[in-house]
Amino acid sequence: MSIGDFDFEAYDVEEEPEIKKPQKHPEKILNDLYIVEKEIARGGFGVVYKCLNKETGEKVAIKEIFKKEGKNLDMVLNEIKIGLLLSDCKYIVKMKGTFDNTYNHYIIFEYSEIGDLYYEIERKLNENKGYMRYKHFIPNDQVKNIIRDLCLALKCCHEKNICHNDIKPENILIFKENGEYIYKLCDLGLSSVNKNKKEKINVGTKRFLAPEIWNQEDAHCDKSDLWSVGILLYHLLTFEFIFSDVKHKFLSEIQYPSIRFVEQNNISKDAKNLILGLLKIDPNERLTIDQILDHPFMK
């Protein structure tokens, strides 16, 4: 079985080929077809580049994942598998193909000219330096659109028993289609297919992790993702984080009613109600996606 130029069966062997040290910079032309224009992001897994298709002129984002003696292969195969399962979802960044070479794996995605939500937040912060601390830098209507599109993306995931496991601003890309902005969920490398709805999850970004993950209990697939939606909503409205990213502080903070934190900020009553409905310590008490979409704050 192969997708694009990525051959799954080539890795179905007991002994992996010897892998050399990853290149720090790829060639200017990838796969004889893509011209590298600039680096978009860099992390421990590798690099993401903005590239141009020489034949069609199409701009794409190409994720280069270092092979590291095969250690990243599972993440690559997982992202490809889940990307295929979600290929029909409008609110998930589209995977366009794959290829690999001696040093790296490559996954091709649709490209966002605008960038991700993290940089949108940073831009707004820089524009509003000196203003009151809790000013709504992102208009409520835009926040509602972000949360709506994110929930529709998660609905696609959860209907197929897929947990995203890493909801955060960096993993939401902004597109403009037919004159309207659309927010798409990306980075499926840490996602998991969970038919039993519960499993041990040891991945994610600390500030966005649900209590059951901090406590190393079974994550409740959809409910653990929705805790992260509550954290994100609070962050978009205040540009602050409601809880610490240090385990012992976080576990201490959530013992107090969450309203103590929410009421410190001048956000609307409906927004507070929605946030508190998502930040329930018991996963079974958290709002569902349909309840979020029907909530008065979202109207």
Side-chain angles (χ1 to χ4, degrees):
M1 175 184 177
S2 64
I3 302 172
D5 296 321
F6 193 97
D7 189 351
F8 285 79
E9 293 180 355
Y11 292 90
D12 190 19
V13 294
E14 293 183 2
E15 295 184 4
E16 296 179 353
E18 181 181 354
I19 305 297
K20 298 180 181 179
K21 186 177 180 180
Q23 296 174 323
K24 291 185 178 180
H25 303 287
E27 299 175 353
K28 291 184 179 180
I29 306 295
L30 293 176
N31 202 33
D32 297 324
L33 184 59
Y34 295 98
I35 302 171
V36 176
E37 293 195 341
K38 68 176 183 179
E39 181 179 309
I40 301 172
R42 177 177 289 268
F45 67 89
V47 189
V48 180
Y49 296 100
K50 174 188 175 184
C51 298
L52 185 71
N53 186 306
K54 291 194 297 182
E55 294 183 358
T56 66
E58 180 187 25
K59 296 176 184 177
V60 296
I62 297 183
K63 179 185 286 190
E64 174 188 73
I65 303 170
F66 305 146
K67 286 189 174 177
K68 288 187 177 179
E69 300 181 355
K71 292 180 181 178
N72 283 332
L73 179 61
D74 287 345
M75 183 177 72
V76 175
L77 297 181
N78 188 62
E79 184 155 13
I80 293 171
K81 176 181 71 175
I82 293 179
L84 289 172
L85 289 172
L86 297 171
S87 61
D88 59 346
C89 183
K90 175 181 177 181
Y91 301 96
I92 303 286
V93 172
K94 292 287 186 292
M95 184 179 68
K96 292 178 160 295
T98 65
F99 61 94
D100 71 324
N101 61 23
T102 303
Y103 304 101
N104 307 306
H105 308 293
Y106 296 91
I107 307 178
I108 308 163
F109 296 96
E110 62 180 325
Y111 174 71
S112 165
E113 291 281 2
I114 301 171
D116 64 46
L117 187 56
Y118 174 85
Y119 288 107
E120 174 74 359
I121 292 170
E122 289 295 301
R123 184 177 67 82
K124 291 287 187 180
L125 280 170
N126 291 331
E127 286 178 358
N128 289 278
K129 282 181 179 177
Y131 282 75
M132 60 183 290
R133 188 177 183 187
Y134 297 120
K135 180 179 173 64
H136 289 176
F137 299 135
I138 296 181
N140 270 7
D141 285 346
Q142 184 180 358
V143 172
K144 293 174 187 179
N145 289 339
I146 294 167
I147 298 299
R148 182 202 65 212
D149 290 358
L150 174 58
C151 284
L152 292 172
L154 288 175
K155 191 166 187 174
C156 293
C157 294
H158 297 165
E159 285 175 349
K160 297 184 179 182
N161 298 318
I162 295 169
C163 312
H164 185 274
N165 297 329
D166 198 18
I167 304 297
K168 59 183 178 180
E170 295 91 325
N171 288 339
I172 299 172
L173 295 184
I174 307 171
F175 293 80
K176 194 168 187 180
E177 298 178 1
N178 300 319
E180 295 185 356
Y181 290 102
I182 180 172
Y183 302 87
K184 299 187 182 185
L185 189 58
C186 68
D187 202 343
L188 304 171
L190 297 180
S191 300
S192 55
V193 179
N194 182 7
K195 294 181 180 179
N196 296 320
K197 296 287 185 180
K198 292 184 180 182
E199 68 176 348
K200 296 286 187 185
I201 296 176
N202 295 310
V203 296
T205 300
K206 289 182 178 179
R207 290 188 186 275
F208 293 87
L209 291 181
E212 59 270 19
I213 299 178
W214 278 107
N215 282 322
Q216 297 183 329
E217 300 169 354
D218 284 345
H220 288 235
C221 188
D222 52 342
K223 298 295 187 174
S224 298
D225 277 345
L226 293 180
W227 172 281
S228 302
V229 174
I231 298 293
L232 177 64
L233 175 55
Y234 182 89
H235 184 53
L236 291 174
L237 292 171
T238 66
F239 286 2
E240 294 198 343
F241 290 102
I242 191 169
F243 296 123
S244 166
D245 63 350
V246 179
K247 181 176 182 179
H248 71 274
K249 286 187 66 179
F250 170 81
L251 295 177
S252 173
E253 288 166 351
I254 65 170
Q255 301 307 313
Y256 297 95
S258 296
I259 192 70
R260 182 171 77 86
F261 300 93
V262 175
E263 284 186 340
Q264 293 175 358
N265 298 285
N266 63 334
I267 56 181
S268 72
K269 181 179 178 181
D270 286 339
K272 291 175 184 177
N273 181 270
L274 177 54
I275 293 166
L276 293 172
L278 290 166
L279 301 184
K280 298 288 188 182
I281 296 177
D282 183 349
N284 294 310
E285 294 181 3
R286 290 174 204 154
L287 297 177
T288 65
I289 287 178
D290 288 337
Q291 288 173 326
I292 298 171
L293 294 172
D294 289 337
H295 194 276
F297 174 76
M298 300 296 290
K299 304 301 182 184

